[in-house]
Amino acid sequence: MESIQGYVEHIIFQNADNGYTVMNLVADGEEITCVGMLKGISQGESIKAEGDYISHPVYGNQFKISSFQTTLPEDSVSMERYLGSGAIRGVGPALAARIVKKFGADTFRIIDEEPERLVEIKGISERIAREISAQMEEKKDLREAMVYLQKFGISNTLAIKIYNTYGNGLYHVMQENPYRLAEDIQGVGFKIADEIAGKIGIHTDSDYRIRSGLLYTLLQAVQEGNTYLPMEILRKRAAALLELKEEYMDAQVANLSMDRKIVIKGAENLYAGVSGQISDEAKVFASTFYFAELNCARMLHDLNLTMAGSDGLLPSEEKYILERVKRLDRDLGLELDELQMNAVLESVKHGLLIISGGPGTGKTTTINTIIRYFESENMDIFLAAPTGRAAKRMTEATGYEARTIHRMLELNGALSDDEHRSVRFERNEENPLEADVIIVDEMSMVDLTVFQALLKAVTPGTRLILVGDVDQLPSVGPGQILRDLIESGAFPTVTLKKIFRQAGESDIVVNAHKINRGEQIALDNKSRDFFFLERSDTNVIYKHMVQLITEKLPKYVDADSLDIQVLTPMRKGTLGVETLNKILQEYINPPAVGKKEHVAGDTVLRMGDKVMQIRNNYQLEWEVLSRYGIPIDKGMGVFNGDVGKIVEINDYAQQLVVEFEEQKRVTYAYAGLEELELAYAVTIHKSQGSEYPAVVLPILSGPKMLLNRNLLYTAVTRAKTCVTILGSSETVRDMIENAQVSRRYTALRDRICEIRGN
């Protein structure tokens, strides 16, 4: 690592969000191009920086800065250059020259200690003098904070976040309770805060540390889909994380409860026999998720109205409705079975209805009939689904526009008072959706956070119809909404079971239902849409996978190679997402002369690559361009599981552009690329709500808890035209036999039953 010192002559580019900067630094009379995270840096400033010289393929030699600190100019020339550079608002080159001419090398001391003397300069009033002094003080505070935080190994980017959050109060926070960083600053988890605390000298059994570790453990459980943890599991996990004895945990759980950071529920006897020890069966929630489930239960109760009056429909009224439905079906060339007819009738009778069913059981036909019925009643109908792909499928199946739930709720990222973007939906309890009927498909994908936002925007009297397949994998986010709603028994529910003739001709549909029932499937390759290739060598699997995607399947299903999806149960290992993506990228989108690429961590991102957003980002802006490059639509939010294609890589601006579904273009700074990964292969969990022309499933071996019936069922139902399994028939049979699923700890069902008085 090398060190250089000089002044910033010119800032070529600076990203306002993350501070990524390209600039010219003059050091020892030589001009050096520097790059790095330098938020807060201004032209004219003097800095001392550490880093390494690198050779950029386009821009030549550069100095990549890993850390820096600003230094005060020490001579009159440097002071004048700094003041006149634009770093201090309201001071230009001419005024800077007059200030330095008057005070010489004493200029900065005068501004700092005797700012009132600046009025001696023509053109400077008392107000301007105060503003110049305040700006210099602010920059001084930032400089001192950066130097202080760097002592603890804190990066410049994180240091800026800490300073912006606490100002000069950061010193108290760092000395008293650095674990507050994990609660207050996005991107700082317990582990980073714990590392900082260790360098500061906080004891490992500190109350602050234990509380922070407990909250972190609960939030990690949320990442697994849970909304709470049993006390026994929380105690064990937190103790292992903190490397402390389990008995340290209970007192701090009680303290967090008193501080209302957590909620403890569900044990008749909260405290067990051991003095002060919380019962193992107690359910411990992070407060946010306890109240989210409680609020959802209350809102569902309010929506669950009998629309035809307290006594329901008379037999003659039901008969009339059924006759109207039959006429609509005849006009549309449809014929509903008894369960489908019942679903339509229940949608008329009730404010809330759940429709569940597997592939080929007529959910789409039922939705179409419900739409036509309410349309004939001149009602306003909204259709929605959790993802862009699912919304597109719903639009194609119904002929009516369907939107993502986020777009229907009008997601908006607004600047709050603290200048941090906050997530909010324009549609909420104060500005509800103006619809008579709202139909939401793919409900198995909807997590607790999105469901709560949806319910807030629906007023009692609006019909809410929730459609999904309860046997699919649950949502990536916390909760298992559809299952909890059905298991509560509190709401009208119709489960469609009959496989219709046309769907029954597809072995994909037939085999999916067999898998779901635990029945073995034929792997004899006599099918036209369901194939199995017995392979035991991973290198052979790689070879055939590439052949299928690049040569065989595109012709067979009339689709592009990029539309054919590899689904795998796991992220790690020889058949995991990380390994498969690197292999598939080399064959589907190999490097070529003139094809730009950018290395982000261990991943090469290349023009034309298929990529996926791997976490919800409500602040990312997207826009849709016309054929002439003019924006014709824009909005906020890119979500976990959204798949797109890299269409631009700009090394000069240090950014990359991805085009997602519906031609939505999103610009990522190079520093934000940890939210993207290659998507030639994705986990089965991430494929929820999507449908692909053809699916390739490499299944060889893996953990029993992971390789289960539920996972295989979900994977098979993602394919529209063709499924090909590569691997072990024995493992496939074991998956069908294995009905075990990873338990999710959720309590929406409990809250619903409490409100009902059960």
Side-chain angles (χ1 to χ4, degrees):
M1 188 164 295
E2 299 187 51
S3 177
I4 59 174
Q5 188 166 353
Y7 68 89
V8 181
E9 184 184 57
H10 176 57
I11 292 179
I12 301 168
F13 169 81
Q14 189 167 61
N15 185 305
D17 293 328
N18 59 37
Y20 183 87
T21 303
V22 181
M23 67 182 189
N24 291 334
L25 186 79
V26 175
D28 296 327
E30 180 186 358
E31 190 174 285
I32 303 168
T33 301
C34 298
V35 298
M37 297 300 180
L38 306 167
K39 187 161 182 141
I41 202 79
S42 303
Q43 286 183 183
E45 285 198 281
S46 298
I47 69 167
K48 183 178 181 180
E50 291 189 338
D52 295 293
Y53 284 97
I54 60 172
S55 179
H56 191 279
V58 177
Y59 302 111
N61 290 332
Q62 299 176 336
F63 188 78
K64 187 174 183 180
I65 296 174
S66 56
S67 66
F68 79 99
Q69 63 185 67
T70 55
T71 58
L72 285 176
E74 296 176 352
D75 59 87
S76 298
V77 174
S78 298
M79 289 179 183
E80 182 179 333
R81 184 193 304 121
Y82 174 68
L83 289 174
S85 68
I88 305 299
R89 292 187 306 275
V91 179
L95 184 55
R98 293 203 299 274
I99 294 172
V100 174
K101 184 178 180 181
K102 172 73 175 176
F103 299 114
D106 208 25
T107 297
F108 277 15
R109 189 196 65 77
I110 294 290
I111 294 173
D112 185 31
E113 298 176 9
E114 302 177 71
E116 67 277 3
R117 289 191 58 191
L118 290 175
V119 299
E120 299 173 20
I121 309 297
K122 184 179 179 182
I124 297 182
S125 64
E126 287 186 17
R127 180 183 62 80
I128 293 173
R130 285 195 300 270
E131 287 178 359
I132 292 171
S133 178
Q135 288 184 64
M136 288 288 286
E137 184 65 28
E138 184 181 348
K139 287 183 175 290
K140 175 186 171 187
D141 290 343
L142 175 58
R143 283 194 293 267
E144 290 176 351
M146 296 280 281
V147 171
Y148 171 76
L149 293 170
Q150 283 172 1
K151 291 191 300 185
F152 305 111
I154 295 172
S155 70
N156 293 331
T157 305
L158 179 54
I160 291 288
K161 284 185 179 180
I162 294 172
Y163 182 79
N164 288 343
T165 302
Y166 302 117
N168 286 330
L170 70 88
Y171 303 100
H172 175 75
V173 170
M174 294 293 288
Q175 292 298 326
E176 181 72 15
N177 179 17
Y179 294 98
R180 275 185 58 187
L181 301 180
E183 297 178 39
D184 299 340
I185 300 176
Q186 187 176 10
V188 179
F190 169 80
K191 291 183 178 178
I192 293 175
D194 198 36
E195 187 178 326
I196 294 168
K199 291 175 180 176
I200 289 173
I202 302 292
H203 290 294
T204 56
D205 60 353
S206 152
D207 289 353
Y208 292 131
R209 182 172 185 264
I210 297 172
R211 288 183 206 177
S212 184
L214 285 162
L215 286 173
Y216 175 77
T217 302
L218 283 175
L219 293 177
Q220 285 296 104
V222 168
Q223 301 299 316
E224 300 166 8
N226 304 295
T227 59
Y228 75 89
L229 282 179
M231 183 60 198
E232 181 181 22
I233 294 176
L234 173 61
R235 190 187 293 121
K236 280 184 167 59
R237 287 191 184 185
L241 170 74
L242 297 165
E243 297 182 344
L244 294 172
K245 293 180 180 178
E246 291 183 20
E247 53 259 35
Y248 282 93
M249 302 302 119
D250 290 66
Q252 297 311 321
V253 168
N255 287 336
L256 285 167
S257 177
M258 285 188 284
D259 290 343
R260 300 186 180 181
K261 296 282 181 69
I262 65 173
V263 175
I264 308 172
K265 290 282 288 185
E268 281 184 21
N269 207 358
L270 188 61
Y271 292 96
V274 180
S275 176
Q277 182 174 324
I278 299 172
S279 166
D280 288 351
E281 292 77 35
K283 298 174 181 178
V284 186
F285 301 76
S287 293
T288 302
F289 296 96
Y290 172 78
F291 288 109
E293 288 186 325
L294 180 60
N295 289 339
C296 284
R298 287 173 176 162
M299 290 185 285
L300 286 163
H301 178 269
D302 293 343
L303 291 172
N304 189 27
L305 303 174
T306 303
M307 304 303 283
S310 59
D311 297 326
L313 293 172
L314 296 172
S316 59
E317 291 174 315
E318 287 196 10
K319 183 178 178 182
Y320 171 72
I321 291 169
L322 291 173
E323 286 299 323
R324 282 187 59 191
V325 172
K326 288 176 183 176
R327 284 200 300 274
L328 282 171
D329 287 346
R330 282 196 295 271
D331 293 342
L332 295 168
L334 303 174
E335 184 176 349
L336 272 63
D337 71 358
E338 186 178 345
L339 282 171
Q340 290 174 303
M341 289 292 287
N342 185 44
V344 179
L345 184 61
E346 292 294 306
S347 72
V348 177
K349 291 166 61 177
H350 298 285
L352 181 62
L353 173 65
I354 300 163
I355 302 174
S356 181
T361 55
K363 293 194 299 294
T364 299
T365 303
T366 306
I367 291 171
N368 278 331
T369 304
I370 290 171
I371 291 170
R372 267 63 180 189
Y373 178 86
F374 286 121
E375 188 181 42
S376 71
E377 294 283 303
N378 295 316
M379 290 186 173
D380 291 324
I381 305 161
F382 285 179
L383 307 182
T387 66
R389 277 179 175 263
K392 185 179 179 182
R393 286 175 56 201
M394 198 178 186
T395 298
E396 292 168 350
T398 63
Y400 286 75
E401 181 194 6
R403 295 171 287 175
T404 62
I405 297 172
H406 291 88
R407 193 155 195 203
M408 180 176 72
L409 298 179
E410 298 176 19
L411 174 71
N412 185 20
L415 288 175
S416 57
D417 292 339
D418 63 359
E419 295 187 354
H420 290 93
R421 285 191 179 273
S422 58
V423 178
R424 65 186 176 92
F425 293 100
E426 293 295 331
R427 295 294 181 173
N428 49 43
E429 56 269 56
E430 296 176 358
N431 182 28
L433 293 165
E434 297 169 4
D436 301 304
V437 181
I438 299 171
I439 304 174
V440 183
D441 199 7
E442 294 287 359
M443 269 301 299
S444 63
M445 293 182 65
V446 177
D447 66 26
L448 178 62
T449 305
V450 173
F451 191 53
Q452 179 178 219
L454 171 66
L455 294 179
K456 283 181 178 179
V458 181
T459 53
T462 299
R463 287 175 169 84
L464 180 61
I465 300 166
L466 307 175
V467 185
D469 183 351
V470 75
D471 294 314
Q472 295 280 358
L473 291 170
S475 59
V476 174
Q480 47 184 0
I481 302 300
L482 188 60
R483 184 171 296 280
D484 277 355
L485 294 184
I486 293 172
E487 290 184 356
S488 74
F491 312 109
T493 302
V494 178
T495 302
L496 304 176
K497 297 176 181 177
K498 178 182 175 182
I499 302 176
F500 286 86
R501 182 181 61 80
Q502 188 174 358
E505 294 172 0
S506 164
D507 285 317
I508 295 173
V509 172
V510 171
N511 286 342
H513 283 275
K514 283 185 175 181
I515 291 166
N516 199 32
R517 293 192 298 266
E519 299 173 13
Q520 293 297 331
I521 58 176
L523 300 174
D524 54 11
N525 290 325
K526 293 181 179 178
S527 169
R528 289 178 299 171
D529 61 8
F530 201 102
F531 305 101
F532 175 78
L533 301 176
E534 183 82 49
R535 302 290 184 270
S536 58
D537 187 320
T538 51
N539 289 318
V540 175
I541 290 175
Y542 298 153
K543 175 185 172 183
H544 288 295
M545 191 183 303
V546 169
Q547 285 180 335
L548 285 166
I549 295 169
T550 59
E551 300 172 22
K552 309 287 186 185
L553 289 175
K555 298 173 186 174
Y556 191 70
V557 299
D558 190 23
D560 188 88
S561 292
L562 286 178
D563 294 325
I564 295 162
Q565 189 62 57
V566 175
L567 301 180
T568 177
M570 59 205 88
R571 289 195 58 81
K572 305 288 185 181
T574 54
L575 292 179
V577 164
E578 294 173 5
T579 301
L580 291 179
N581 270 319
K582 289 179 180 177
I583 293 168
L584 293 170
Q585 181 193 42
E586 287 304 302
Y587 287 94
I588 297 173
N589 188 31
V593 176
K595 187 185 286 186
K596 286 189 174 182
E597 56 183 48
H598 171 71
V599 179
D602 295 332
T603 303
V604 176
L605 295 172
R606 191 173 291 140
M607 280 288 293
D609 270 338
K610 182 179 179 181
V611 292
M612 174 183 281
Q613 174 80 13
I614 59 171
R615 64 176 66 102
N616 290 340
N617 187 327
Y618 297 95
Q619 279 78 51
L620 273 177
E621 298 180 9
W622 55 261
E623 62 180 9
V624 178
L625 303 180
S626 72
R627 59 187 295 185
Y628 303 107
I630 300 170
I632 56 175
D633 194 9
K634 62 181 180 179
M636 304 288 295
V638 184
F639 306 106
N640 193 350
D642 284 356
V643 173
K645 182 179 179 180
I646 297 175
V647 294
E648 182 182 327
I649 294 176
N650 188 330
D651 285 329
Y652 182 76
Q654 297 284 301
Q655 60 191 28
L656 174 153
V657 179
V658 177
E659 185 170 291
F660 289 97
E661 293 278 340
E662 302 173 329
Q663 288 77 54
K664 294 178 180 177
R665 289 186 167 225
V666 177
T667 299
Y668 292 82
Y670 279 179
L673 292 178
E674 71 277 358
E675 296 187 359
L676 281 180
E677 69 180 21
L678 295 173
Y680 299 103
V682 303
T683 61
I684 295 167
H685 222 135
K686 291 279 190 183
S687 72
Q688 286 176 273
S690 298
E691 186 178 66
Y692 311 100
V695 162
V696 178
L697 296 172
I699 297 175
L700 199 55
S701 62
K704 184 177 180 182
M705 183 55 74
L706 182 63
L707 298 180
N708 58 38
R709 181 188 303 170
N710 192 211
L711 196 78
L712 183 60
Y713 172 75
T714 299
V716 168
T717 55
R718 298 307 90 206
K720 183 177 182 180
T721 309
C722 179
V723 170
T724 304
I725 300 176
L726 286 163
S728 164
S729 56
E730 183 180 353
T731 302
V732 172
R733 294 189 185 100
D734 287 344
M735 289 180 77
I736 295 170
E737 291 290 333
N738 181 15
Q740 292 182 335
V741 292
S742 298
R743 179 179 175 184
R744 282 200 171 187
Y745 295 105
T746 65
L748 178 58
R749 180 183 62 179
D750 296 345
R751 302 289 84 81
I752 291 168
C753 292
E754 283 175 2
I755 287 174
R756 287 187 76 204
N758 288 15

